[in-house]
Amino acid sequence: MDNTGDRDNAGSSAARARRATLFLVLFGLFVMAMSARGITSAYQAAHGGGVVGTLTLATRTCGKAGCGYTGSFVSDDGRTRATMVETDDIGSDPRIGDRVKARYAGGRAYAPEDSHAWQDAVVFILAGAAIVVYALWRHFTHRRRPT
C-alpha cells in the first residue's frame, strides 16, 4: 500500500499550520507595536507631564471606536504652538471650532486631567502579547497524530 498521499497531506497541513502561526505572531506584534507608539506620552500626560493649553478643534472623524479630532494647540503661556494635533481623549462631545482645555505631550493632545489613554494602550499591548503567546504555544505543543 502506498502512503505517499498521506505524507503529502501531512506535509501541506504542517505548512498551513506554520503559516497560520507566523500570521498570528506577526499580527500580535503589529498590534503591540501600534499600541506602544504613544504609550509613553500618554502616560506622562496622565501623570502631569506635557504642556497645558487650549486645543481649537478643526476636524472631526468618527468611527466604530468613537470620534477623533484634529486642531491647533496653544499653551497657556503662549510658548508652545502646534498645528495638526490629534486627540481622541476629550470627555465631552465638542463641535468643530470649540476651544477645549488639553495637555500636549508627544505630539498629541490629551485630557488635561484624569486621562486614561495610556490604559487603553496597555490593554491592546496585552492583547497582542496574548495572541503571540497563544500562537507559539499552539505551534510548539501541537503534536501530529500517528496515522
Side-chain angles (χ1 to χ4, degrees):
M1 179 175 213
D2 186 14
N3 288 344
T4 57
D6 290 341
R7 276 187 256 134
D8 289 344
N9 287 340
S12 65
S13 177
R16 277 194 305 273
R18 283 192 300 273
R19 283 193 300 271
T21 298
L22 179 62
F23 172 78
L24 285 174
V25 167
L26 291 176
F27 177 72
L29 292 173
F30 175 77
V31 169
M32 292 170 63
M34 296 309 294
S35 300
R37 285 186 320 152
I39 195 166
T40 303
S41 58
Y43 184 82
Q44 289 171 348
H47 294 88
V51 180
V52 177
T54 303
L55 180 68
T56 303
L57 303 176
T59 64
R60 175 180 170 167
T61 306
C62 295
K64 291 180 182 179
C67 295
Y69 300 87
T70 303
S72 299
F73 177 85
V74 178
S75 64
D76 287 345
D77 63 8
R79 290 191 286 182
T80 303
R81 295 178 178 273
T83 58
M84 299 302 293
V85 176
E86 295 180 358
T87 187
D88 55 7
D89 191 27
I90 297 177
S92 62
D93 190 24
R95 298 181 190 165
I96 301 304
D98 283 358
R99 297 177 56 179
V100 296
K101 291 300 279 179
R103 186 175 293 272
Y104 180 73
R108 289 186 55 88
Y110 299 93
E113 305 292 330
D114 200 29
S115 172
H116 298 286
W118 70 274
Q119 294 171 343
D120 297 339
V122 168
V123 168
F124 281 103
I125 289 170
L126 292 174
I131 292 169
V132 170
V133 168
Y134 170 76
L136 293 174
W137 171 81
R138 181 162 162 81
H139 178 75
F140 289 112
T141 61
H142 186 270
R143 306 265 189 244
R144 278 198 300 177
R145 295 182 182 150
T147 54

mmCIF file of all heavy atoms in Angstrom, residues 70-92:
data_model
loop_
_atom_site.group_PDB
_atom_site.id
_atom_site.type_symbol
_atom_site.label_atom_id
_atom_site.label_comp_id
_atom_site.label_asym_id
_atom_site.label_seq_id
_atom_site.Cartn_x
_atom_site.Cartn_y
_atom_site.Cartn_z
ATOM 1 N N THR A 70 -8.812 66.798 15.269
ATOM 2 C CA THR A 70 -7.549 67.426 14.914
ATOM 3 C C THR A 70 -7.733 68.926 15.072
ATOM 4 O O THR A 70 -8.792 69.461 14.747
ATOM 5 C CB THR A 70 -7.167 67.106 13.448
ATOM 6 O OG1 THR A 70 -7.116 65.692 13.308
ATOM 7 C CG2 THR A 70 -5.820 67.677 13.092
ATOM 8 N N GLY A 71 -6.706 69.574 15.570
ATOM 9 C CA GLY A 71 -6.803 71.013 15.750
ATOM 10 C C GLY A 71 -5.460 71.636 16.040
ATOM 11 O O GLY A 71 -4.414 71.004 15.924
ATOM 12 N N SER A 72 -5.506 72.902 16.430
ATOM 13 C CA SER A 72 -4.302 73.668 16.751
ATOM 14 C C SER A 72 -4.209 73.837 18.254
ATOM 15 O O SER A 72 -5.189 74.183 18.912
ATOM 16 C CB SER A 72 -4.359 75.041 16.095
ATOM 17 O OG SER A 72 -4.421 74.894 14.696
ATOM 18 N N PHE A 73 -3.004 73.632 18.774
ATOM 19 C CA PHE A 73 -2.775 73.735 20.210
ATOM 20 C C PHE A 73 -1.932 74.968 20.511
ATOM 21 O O PHE A 73 -0.952 75.260 19.816
ATOM 22 C CB PHE A 73 -2.038 72.491 20.721
ATOM 23 C CG PHE A 73 -1.712 72.563 22.181
ATOM 24 C CD1 PHE A 73 -2.638 72.185 23.128
ATOM 25 C CD2 PHE A 73 -0.473 73.019 22.610
ATOM 26 C CE1 PHE A 73 -2.345 72.266 24.485
ATOM 27 C CE2 PHE A 73 -0.162 73.101 23.958
ATOM 28 C CZ PHE A 73 -1.098 72.722 24.897
ATOM 29 N N VAL A 74 -2.318 75.693 21.564
ATOM 30 C CA VAL A 74 -1.535 76.822 22.079
ATOM 31 C C VAL A 74 -1.470 76.653 23.591
ATOM 32 O O VAL A 74 -2.497 76.518 24.260
ATOM 33 C CB VAL A 74 -2.181 78.182 21.726
ATOM 34 C CG1 VAL A 74 -1.383 79.323 22.321
ATOM 35 C CG2 VAL A 74 -2.329 78.340 20.223
ATOM 36 N N SER A 75 -0.244 76.664 24.128
ATOM 37 C CA SER A 75 -0.081 76.514 25.574
ATOM 38 C C SER A 75 -0.599 77.753 26.298
ATOM 39 O O SER A 75 -0.723 78.830 25.708
ATOM 40 C CB SER A 75 1.390 76.273 25.933
ATOM 41 O OG SER A 75 2.166 77.398 25.593
ATOM 42 N N ASP A 76 -0.889 77.597 27.567
ATOM 43 C CA ASP A 76 -1.403 78.713 28.362
ATOM 44 C C ASP A 76 -0.434 79.887 28.403
ATOM 45 O O ASP A 76 -0.854 81.044 28.436
ATOM 46 C CB ASP A 76 -1.725 78.254 29.791
ATOM 47 C CG ASP A 76 -2.980 77.392 29.849
ATOM 48 O OD1 ASP A 76 -3.752 77.373 28.852
ATOM 49 O OD2 ASP A 76 -3.186 76.722 30.882
ATOM 50 N N ASP A 77 0.872 79.604 28.380
ATOM 51 C CA ASP A 77 1.858 80.689 28.405
ATOM 52 C C ASP A 77 2.207 81.196 27.007
ATOM 53 O O ASP A 77 2.984 82.137 26.854
ATOM 54 C CB ASP A 77 3.122 80.267 29.156
ATOM 55 C CG ASP A 77 3.858 79.113 28.485
ATOM 56 O OD1 ASP A 77 3.496 78.713 27.355
ATOM 57 O OD2 ASP A 77 4.808 78.596 29.112
ATOM 58 N N GLY A 78 1.666 80.585 25.965
ATOM 59 C CA GLY A 78 1.874 81.034 24.585
ATOM 60 C C GLY A 78 3.183 80.585 23.960
ATOM 61 O O GLY A 78 3.431 80.851 22.791
ATOM 62 N N ARG A 79 4.032 79.898 24.695
ATOM 63 C CA ARG A 79 5.336 79.491 24.160
ATOM 64 C C ARG A 79 5.273 78.248 23.274
ATOM 65 O O ARG A 79 6.116 78.070 22.410
ATOM 66 C CB ARG A 79 6.332 79.254 25.289
ATOM 67 C CG ARG A 79 6.728 80.556 25.981
ATOM 68 C CD ARG A 79 7.890 80.344 26.897
ATOM 69 N NE ARG A 79 7.434 79.625 28.090
ATOM 70 C CZ ARG A 79 8.200 79.314 29.103
ATOM 71 N NH1 ARG A 79 9.477 79.629 29.088
ATOM 72 N NH2 ARG A 79 7.721 78.683 30.148
ATOM 73 N N THR A 80 4.300 77.381 23.481
ATOM 74 C CA THR A 80 4.183 76.157 22.683
ATOM 75 C C THR A 80 2.974 76.272 21.763
ATOM 76 O O THR A 80 1.852 76.502 22.223
ATOM 77 C CB THR A 80 4.024 74.920 23.596
ATOM 78 O OG1 THR A 80 5.123 74.859 24.490
ATOM 79 C CG2 THR A 80 3.953 73.648 22.782
ATOM 80 N N ARG A 81 3.239 76.144 20.471
ATOM 81 C CA ARG A 81 2.186 76.177 19.462
ATOM 82 C C ARG A 81 2.385 74.991 18.529
ATOM 83 O O ARG A 81 3.507 74.694 18.138
ATOM 84 C CB ARG A 81 2.226 77.462 18.656
ATOM 85 C CG ARG A 81 1.935 78.699 19.464
ATOM 86 C CD ARG A 81 2.036 79.966 18.609
ATOM 87 N NE ARG A 81 1.714 81.124 19.404
ATOM 88 C CZ ARG A 81 0.479 81.592 19.591
ATOM 89 N NH1 ARG A 81 -0.528 80.989 19.023
ATOM 90 N NH2 ARG A 81 0.273 82.651 20.340
ATOM 91 N N ALA A 82 1.293 74.331 18.174
ATOM 92 C CA ALA A 82 1.379 73.194 17.264
ATOM 93 C C ALA A 82 0.097 73.117 16.447
ATOM 94 O O ALA A 82 -0.999 73.362 16.958
ATOM 95 C CB ALA A 82 1.583 71.905 18.035
ATOM 96 N N THR A 83 0.258 72.810 15.172
ATOM 97 C CA THR A 83 -0.905 72.625 14.297
ATOM 98 C C THR A 83 -1.059 71.138 14.003
ATOM 99 O O THR A 83 -0.134 70.351 14.206
ATOM 100 C CB THR A 83 -0.736 73.393 12.977
ATOM 101 O OG1 THR A 83 0.452 72.943 12.340
ATOM 102 C CG2 THR A 83 -0.636 74.889 13.222
ATOM 103 N N MET A 84 -2.184 70.758 13.545
ATOM 104 C CA MET A 84 -2.493 69.371 13.193
ATOM 105 C C MET A 84 -2.253 68.413 14.366
ATOM 106 O O MET A 84 -1.678 67.347 14.217
ATOM 107 C CB MET A 84 -1.695 68.920 11.968
ATOM 108 C CG MET A 84 -1.973 69.728 10.708
ATOM 109 S SD MET A 84 -3.718 69.700 10.228
ATOM 110 C CE MET A 84 -3.924 67.995 9.781
ATOM 111 N N VAL A 85 -2.698 68.799 15.541
ATOM 112 C CA VAL A 85 -2.577 67.977 16.740
ATOM 113 C C VAL A 85 -3.802 67.079 16.822
ATOM 114 O O VAL A 85 -4.932 67.552 16.719
ATOM 115 C CB VAL A 85 -2.465 68.863 18.002
ATOM 116 C CG1 VAL A 85 -2.432 68.018 19.253
ATOM 117 C CG2 VAL A 85 -1.249 69.765 17.909
ATOM 118 N N GLU A 86 -3.569 65.787 17.002
ATOM 119 C CA GLU A 86 -4.665 64.826 17.073
ATOM 120 C C GLU A 86 -5.001 64.484 18.515
ATOM 121 O O GLU A 86 -4.126 64.496 19.385
ATOM 122 C CB GLU A 86 -4.280 63.540 16.329
ATOM 123 C CG GLU A 86 -4.090 63.735 14.849
ATOM 124 C CD GLU A 86 -3.707 62.445 14.153
ATOM 125 O OE1 GLU A 86 -3.553 61.406 14.824
ATOM 126 O OE2 GLU A 86 -3.564 62.473 12.926
ATOM 127 N N THR A 87 -6.260 64.149 18.738
ATOM 128 C CA THR A 87 -6.702 63.672 20.046
ATOM 129 C C THR A 87 -7.970 62.834 19.873
ATOM 130 O O THR A 87 -8.749 63.048 18.942
ATOM 131 C CB THR A 87 -6.976 64.823 21.028
ATOM 132 O OG1 THR A 87 -7.240 64.261 22.323
ATOM 133 C CG2 THR A 87 -8.152 65.675 20.609
ATOM 134 N N ASP A 88 -8.140 61.891 20.757
ATOM 135 C CA ASP A 88 -9.408 61.172 20.879
ATOM 136 C C ASP A 88 -9.733 61.029 22.362
ATOM 137 O O ASP A 88 -10.508 60.197 22.774
ATOM 138 C CB ASP A 88 -9.360 59.810 20.188
ATOM 139 C CG ASP A 88 -8.219 58.940 20.675
ATOM 140 O OD1 ASP A 88 -7.540 59.326 21.645
ATOM 141 O OD2 ASP A 88 -7.999 57.874 20.094
ATOM 142 N N ASP A 89 -9.111 61.886 23.144
ATOM 143 C CA ASP A 89 -9.197 61.831 24.602
ATOM 144 C C ASP A 89 -9.914 63.058 25.159
ATOM 145 O O ASP A 89 -9.425 63.703 26.080
ATOM 146 C CB ASP A 89 -7.773 61.731 25.173
ATOM 147 C CG ASP A 89 -7.760 61.392 26.651
ATOM 148 O OD1 ASP A 89 -8.715 60.750 27.121
ATOM 149 O OD2 ASP A 89 -6.800 61.786 27.336
ATOM 150 N N ILE A 90 -11.067 63.389 24.561
ATOM 151 C CA ILE A 90 -11.856 64.522 25.032
ATOM 152 C C ILE A 90 -13.152 63.958 25.599
ATOM 153 O O ILE A 90 -13.851 63.227 24.916
ATOM 154 C CB ILE A 90 -12.149 65.521 23.897
ATOM 155 C CG1 ILE A 90 -10.837 66.098 23.389
ATOM 156 C CG2 ILE A 90 -13.078 66.619 24.380
ATOM 157 C CD1 ILE A 90 -10.990 67.043 22.229
ATOM 158 N N GLY A 91 -13.436 64.292 26.835
ATOM 159 C CA GLY A 91 -14.561 63.689 27.534
ATOM 160 C C GLY A 91 -15.933 64.061 27.001
ATOM 161 O O GLY A 91 -16.816 63.232 26.900
ATOM 162 N N SER A 92 -16.148 65.316 26.641
ATOM 163 C CA SER A 92 -17.473 65.743 26.204
ATOM 164 C C SER A 92 -17.611 65.559 24.696
ATOM 165 O O SER A 92 -16.745 64.995 24.048
ATOM 166 C CB SER A 92 -17.696 67.201 26.591
ATOM 167 O OG SER A 92 -16.740 68.005 25.940
#
